[in-house]
Amino acid sequence: GAVVSQHPSRVICKSGTSVKIECRSLDFQATTMFWYRQFPKQSLMLMATSNEGSKATYEQGVEKDKFLINHASLTLSTLTVTSAHPEDSSFYICSARDSRSSGANVLTFGAGSRLTVL
Amino acid sequence: AQSVAQPEDQVNVAEGNPLTVKCTYSVSGNPYLFWYVQYPNRGLQFLLKYITGDNLVKGSYGFEAEFNKSQTSFHLKKPSALVSDSALYFCAVRDKVGTGGFKTIFGAGTRLFVKA
């Protein structure tokens, strides 16, 4: 089945630095990927929709300049948290759908990346 | 905009008993509804979906869900719970974006505890 790889799984950084998280679709092409943020004991909050070859679509309230998304190829999307601060500490999850398959409505998720900003 | 609600933060059930995790939805048009599960230290996994057709949808790990249009519900069920079913369950709905695009909106999640 479809597999999404997300890296790194854990990252600790100092306040003010930038962190890049990668999301790769391993066995399918993903024209669209989604980035979610999950707070402890809370639901997934959609941050943005990453579109291959074009600008990401951000949800209301998500800072575009802080959470940079790049979707340069059909198998890779990256989320860069710029000038990270402790309040950015969270669990970030990417997902993708295999648009060519009959399960195109179903999302395949990466394992998530836990960011801790000191 | 489409939305889903999961009224229970937590559901406790004894192993071997039937379980139900509730979900209600609010959509315009025909709903595309999903259930996902998040096991500890693992990524979310798709369980089942309702797009059209039979109201009773069967999914992975013995789970099923019933689409009820009159009650706008899509409750997740399993006839006999296992301890290994203990996890965080999310109901989700597909929401249209622009022309041809969509995004998936998740409910708040319900933590299921199955006691041996």
Side-chain angles (χ1 to χ4, degrees), chain A residues 43-82:
Chain A
S43 184
L44 287 79
M45 181 193 77
L46 179 63
M47 299 175 64
T49 302
S50 174
N51 304 300
E52 187 269 334
S54 64
K55 291 182 179 180
T57 304
Y58 289 83
E59 295 300 301
Q60 191 173 6
V62 178
E63 298 178 61
K64 300 179 183 181
D65 295 332
K66 180 160 198 61
F67 298 101
L68 300 180
I69 291 173
N70 183 279
H71 195 151
S73 77
L74 286 171
T75 59
L76 174 65
S77 174
T78 61
L79 168 67
T80 301
V81 183
T82 63

Side-chain angles (χ1 to χ4, degrees), chain B residues 29-110:
Chain B
N30 296 321
Y32 284 46
L33 297 162
F34 308 83
W35 276 100
Y36 288 85
V37 59
Q38 187 178 33
Y39 295 104
N41 302 314
R42 291 169 63 180
L44 275 84
Q45 297 177 35
F46 167 75
L47 273 181
L48 51 79
K49 66 180 178 183
Y50 172 83
I51 306 294
T52 186
D54 290 340
N55 290 342
L56 185 63
V57 180
K58 294 188 182 296
S60 306
Y61 311 122
F63 283 92
E64 58 188 29
E66 185 170 11
F67 171 68
N68 188 317
K69 190 172 183 178
S70 62
Q71 297 184 7
T72 61
S73 67
F74 189 57
H75 301 331
L76 181 70
K77 299 181 180 182
K78 187 172 182 179
S80 178
L82 299 173
V83 172
S84 57
D85 292 329
S86 299
L88 188 56
Y89 290 81
F90 292 99
C91 184
V93 64
R94 195 184 84 165
D95 193 2
K96 275 190 176 180
V97 177
T99 305
F102 76 87
K103 60 186 180 183
T104 302
I105 305 301
F106 286 81
T110 299

Side-chain angles (χ1 to χ4, degrees), chain A residues 32-36 46 48-49 93-95 97 107, chain B residues 102-103:
Chain A
T32 304
M33 291 185 175
F34 303 90
W35 286 95
Y36 290 87
L46 179 63
T49 302
I93 308 173
C94 74
S95 67
R97 64 185 182 107
L107 293 178
Chain B
F102 76 87
K103 60 186 180 183

Side-chain angles (χ1 to χ4, degrees), chain A residues 10-31:
Chain A
R10 292 179 182 272
V11 57
I12 300 173
C13 69
K14 293 182 179 180
S15 184
T17 61
S18 295
V19 173
K20 180 185 284 188
I21 300 170
E22 294 188 347
C23 180
R24 295 180 184 272
S25 56
L26 296 187
D27 49 1
F28 66 100
Q29 294 181 326
T31 55

